[in-house]
Amino acid sequence: MVSIYSIPINSTLGIARHYYLSHDGNFNNSVGWGPAGVEWHGKVNLTEEELNRINEYTDKFGAYNIHSNNCEMFAWYIKTGKQYSGQTEEIRVTKFGAALVSLVQPVHTVRSIKYLEIEKAIIANLQANLDEVKRTKLLEDQAARDDFWKRRDAGLS
């Protein structure tokens, strides 16, 4: 049986917290939610209902947003079936900060990450092809120079 745990987020000087689900409280055995989507760490024992909620989460609520679809909302939804975030609903400082950060934070969905990975693979392939063409051209130019000097030294030029 999993429970909801949290750890301070260092980049916020501990003001904000990262919420996750774990059966033993260990972050290394947890499932959470962040800008990259569902974040799995180690082994997590989930009920079938909790696993179904994880699988439907992105389709139901969309991409991560620190203000309106954050890790605490994810954890509460997976555990109870209802989204809730004390950070954005009860604490004014973090509510305002979350709203501000959500305006500038890059957000990725599972689909956008997939397309980003495909784009990176295409770019890497094109770069490898370009590097091979450059290498081949350099070898051809070097072979032509070597041939020139061999012919010159043999008095054939």
Side-chain angles (χ1 to χ4, degrees), residues 110-124:
V110 174
R111 181 176 289 140
S112 70
I113 290 171
K114 177 182 172 185
Y115 290 135
L116 185 62
E117 292 302 315
I118 291 171
E119 182 180 313
K120 286 180 185 177
I122 291 170
I123 290 169

